[in-house]
Amino acid sequence: MGANGITRVGVVGSGTMGAGIAQLCATRGLDVRLAVSRESSLTSAPARIAASFDRGVEKGKLTRAERDAALARISVGTDLAELGDRDLVIEAIPEDEPLKLGLFATLDKIAGDATILASTTSAIAITRLAAATTRPDRVIGLHFFNPVTAMQLVEVVPALPTAADVTEQVTAFAEHALDRRAVTVADRSGFVVNALLIPYLLAAIRMVDTGYCPAEDVDRAMELGCAHPLGPLRLADLIGLDVVAAIAAALHEEFKEPRYAAPPSLSRLVEAGHLGRKTGRGFHTY
């Protein structure tokens, strides 16, 4: 590990969150290795990240030289073994617990003894992920928010066995290396933000399901009446209805409370592949 702490970062997964985390780390001067699962992602992932950097240049958030330097700090590969020299590896694959457990078991075998393994899961217990490794004291939750490059919050989630110095190091990394604001939260499904947000989104969906109020009017009411930048249905579409449903399922599994149960229309939209903004249709059409 570098003299200044975490300087070499690995990211597993090149979806919205993984690509955003890689971009943020590279922008902050860190050496980033992005692990992808498909050969096609070797070209598509860097292209998406480059396009995002280009939008930043157009908006005056960074210069073209800064963009080029940040891009040069990101290497992309399909071999997880290339993450063996990383100080910190952040898992950002889909919200599928067996998939994540398998990945943590694999990372445990290839990462150095001092490497910290982190997950950006929205709802899966970090303690369960830590139990898949032989280093549970070096496993922690590091939950970013979408879009990663704009949202200031990071939830730091120590598992029951996470060492205190690991929590301190990861918190310092989030706040100083990444210039984010960190909150330390208990290892319970949903943490703070989603434990409060998801029931609100589900309540809005139920309001539409019962015919009480159309989606457009629910969104307009919350945007104008509560000064929310996005109404709950538009926000659910932005997050991804599959992600909302997965977090709701994890919350319902943990707490067994009816307010966490997915409303029928949410389930039907997900089954139909209408996942919100990313597919062009959800509760609204894009």
Side-chain angles (χ1 to χ4, degrees), residues 237 241 269 272-286:
D237 280 349
L241 299 186
L269 285 166
H274 301 316
L275 308 181
R277 280 184 179 271
K278 59 188 172 186
T279 61
R281 179 179 170 188
F283 287 100
H284 300 279
T285 301
Y286 302 90

Side-chain angles (χ1 to χ4, degrees), residues 89-115:
V89 177
I90 303 171
E91 169 272 311
I93 65 174
E95 284 290 274
D96 180 309
E97 187 169 330
L99 200 63
K100 288 182 187 288
L101 289 171
L103 175 61
F104 269 81
T106 300
L107 292 174
D108 183 45
K109 293 181 177 69
I110 62 178
D113 292 342
T115 301

Side-chain angles (χ1 to χ4, degrees), residues 56-78:
V57 172
E58 290 168 8
K59 295 176 181 177
K61 294 181 178 178
L62 74 166
T63 66
R64 186 157 294 279
E66 289 169 337
R67 169 235 191 239
D68 293 344
L71 265 179
R73 296 186 191 106
I74 302 173
S75 60
V76 185
T78 56

Side-chain angles (χ1 to χ4, degrees), residues 186-211:
D187 184 20
R188 44 167 277 174
S189 187
F191 314 133
V192 170
V193 173
N194 283 318
L196 294 172
L197 175 63
I198 296 301
Y200 160 64
L201 299 182
L202 298 180
I205 294 169
R206 290 189 192 97
M207 187 173 280
V208 174
D209 275 7
T210 59

Side-chain angles (χ1 to χ4, degrees), residues 75-258:
S75 60
V76 185
T78 56
D79 187 359
L80 289 174
E82 293 179 347
L83 301 175
D85 68 341
R86 302 290 93 180
D87 303 321
L88 169 70
V89 177
I90 303 171
E91 169 272 311
I93 65 174
E95 284 290 274
D96 180 309
E97 187 169 330
L99 200 63
K100 288 182 187 288
L101 289 171
L103 175 61
F104 269 81
T106 300
L107 292 174
D108 183 45
K109 293 181 177 69
I110 62 178
D113 292 342
T115 301
I116 297 169
L117 304 180
S119 175
T120 192
T121 178
S122 303
I124 296 170
I126 305 301
T127 300
R128 288 204 292 274
L129 299 178
T133 75
T134 60
R135 66 180 84 198
D137 59 321
R138 302 197 69 75
V139 177
I140 196 165
L142 196 57
H143 183 217
F144 293 84
F145 293 83
N146 184 33
V148 175
T149 54
M151 298 295 279
Q152 287 296 302
L153 179 67
V154 177
E155 289 179 318
V156 176
V157 193
L160 285 177
T162 304
D165 68 305
V166 169
T167 302
E168 291 168 5
Q169 189 174 8
V170 168
T171 300
F173 169 74
E175 294 195 331
H176 302 303
L178 300 184
D179 193 28
R180 290 302 183 259
R181 303 298 168 262
V183 294
T184 304
V185 300
D187 184 20
R188 44 167 277 174
S189 187
F191 314 133
V192 170
V193 173
N194 283 318
L196 294 172
L197 175 63
I198 296 301
Y200 160 64
L201 299 182
L202 298 180
I205 294 169
R206 290 189 192 97
M207 187 173 280
V208 174
D209 275 7
T210 59
Y212 183 84
C213 198
E216 187 65 40
D217 289 346
V218 172
D219 282 338
R220 184 178 295 114
M222 294 307 294
E223 288 163 7
L224 300 180
C226 293
H228 288 191
L230 284 178
L233 287 311
R234 287 195 181 90
L235 180 55
D237 280 349
L238 176 64
I239 293 169
L241 299 186
D242 53 336
V243 177
V244 173
I247 300 172
L251 287 164
H252 191 260
E253 174 65 25
E254 177 138 325
F255 300 112
K256 305 295 191 295
E257 295 181 17

